[in-house]
Amino acid sequence: MSGIISKFNFATLLFFLGHGLAETKDGRTEQLFQDLHDNIGWVFEDSKDGISISRKPIQGMGLKAVMVAKKTMIPKEIIQSVIMDVGNYENFLKSIGPIRSKEIQRSSDWVDGYQFIPIDLPLIGDREYLFRMYSDGYNSEDTTSIIHWHLLEKRDDVLVGLNNQNNDRVYLDHGAGLWMAEETLSDTIVLSYRIYMDPGGALPEFLVDMMNKVSVMNIFKDAIAEAKLRQDIIVQ
């Protein structure tokens, strides 16, 4: 099973032009952000290397959202800069397999990106998506999220210029995520990454849930490791 999981990193989010690309941030996405942000309903499942793993059912959805969380002393500004560094994902997100990431466009508040996920299994199409990521909360009342992102609608004219090697790609069009930094009474923050993404295609629900948990955990670990490296450089 672990071999199959390593080939399916659907939830690598993960993560995202303004010019000519329309957002799909509709009511469904807004509700998804609310569900992800709400601390009620998350069910703890496991803990590994000091990182807790929880899941939460999302009303009207067949799959469950995934959350990973850990206390850290790394400043949230450094973590935020790492997650927004879409153009360098391939350099530090090393545990999630051969994912291809590309920054498309950037403003002072958001970055748009593209990710291509090759699937090395028969009869299963590769995955791809466009996304937009913001360096703040998903609305004015959200003061704990340091990153929020959501998928963008499909644009064939943009996609063909990014990856034209495979015509059997499955485009992912429903998903969102939050990176949250909740302050504690000490010098630490509780950093969490919360995500819901439908990988598309006819895949068993239990397998998708398992793959999502593994890939989200790997993203979280790699991002924290890169943030620690950048913090050490600043200290020096």
Side-chain angles (χ1 to χ4, degrees):
M1 182 66 72
S2 61
I4 296 177
I5 293 174
S6 66
K7 296 178 181 178
F8 283 89
N9 289 298
F10 293 131
T12 303
L13 300 92
L14 266 166
F15 312 134
F16 311 163
L17 191 174
H19 193 65
L21 283 188
E23 296 187 62
T24 55
K25 195 175 180 182
D26 52 17
R28 185 175 62 162
T29 303
E30 290 292 337
Q31 182 60 53
L32 185 52
F33 279 134
Q34 293 178 31
D35 292 336
L36 292 173
H37 188 273
D38 192 346
N39 285 327
I40 298 175
W42 292 100
V43 178
F44 173 81
E45 293 196 349
D46 197 4
S47 180
K48 183 177 181 181
D49 299 327
I51 301 173
S52 65
I53 308 171
S54 304
R55 293 198 302 169
K56 180 179 184 177
I58 302 296
Q59 185 174 3
M61 305 296 174
L63 303 175
K64 293 182 179 180
V66 178
M67 174 175 68
V68 289
K70 179 181 182 178
K71 284 186 177 181
T72 180
M73 297 182 67
I74 302 174
K76 59 185 179 183
E77 293 80 10
I78 296 179
I79 297 170
Q80 187 181 55
S81 69
V82 168
I83 306 305
M84 292 293 289
D85 193 9
V86 176
N88 283 312
Y89 277 1
E90 294 179 12
N91 295 326
F92 60 82
L93 295 182
K94 299 177 180 179
S95 302
I96 56 178
I99 305 297
R100 188 177 307 159
S101 302
K102 183 177 178 61
E103 181 177 312
I104 305 299
Q105 185 169 321
R106 177 181 290 269
S107 77
S108 59
D109 300 319
W110 49 259
V111 57
D112 287 343
Y114 165 81
Q115 287 196 323
F116 171 76
I117 309 171
I119 307 299
D120 188 22
L121 286 176
L123 305 178
I124 304 295
D126 298 330
R127 265 59 176 171
E128 65 180 354
Y129 50 87
L130 297 163
F131 61 89
R132 172 165 292 182
M133 179 180 292
Y134 300 82
S135 56
D136 58 9
Y138 73 93
N139 64 21
S140 59
E141 298 178 357
D142 177 10
T143 59
T144 53
S145 297
I146 57 175
I147 297 285
H148 76 279
W149 65 262
H150 64 90
L151 299 184
L152 296 171
E153 67 180 26
K154 186 177 183 181
R155 279 287 302 272
D156 289 328
D157 57 327
V158 174
L159 294 173
V160 72
L162 293 168
N163 182 25
N164 56 11
Q165 299 178 6
N166 187 346
N167 294 324
D168 296 325
R169 293 162 290 173
V170 175
Y171 188 82
L172 307 186
D173 61 2
H174 185 45
L178 296 173
W179 286 82
M180 295 176 58
E182 299 175 274
E183 296 183 358
T184 68
L185 297 178
S186 62
D187 293 330
T188 64
I189 59 171
V190 177
L191 178 69
S192 64
Y193 181 36
R194 310 170 182 211
I195 178 174
Y196 177 91
M197 182 178 281
D198 186 343
L203 296 171
E205 181 178 328
F206 80 91
L207 181 59
V208 173
D209 282 339
M210 187 180 301
M211 293 185 298
N212 282 347
K213 286 196 295 184
V214 171
S215 56
V216 172
M217 173 69 83
N218 287 338
I219 292 170
F220 194 72
K221 287 182 176 180
D222 285 350
I224 290 178
E226 177 66 15
K228 184 64 169 63
L229 287 175
R230 297 189 187 190
Q231 181 185 28
D232 291 343
I233 292 174
I234 293 174
V235 172
Q236 293 175 1

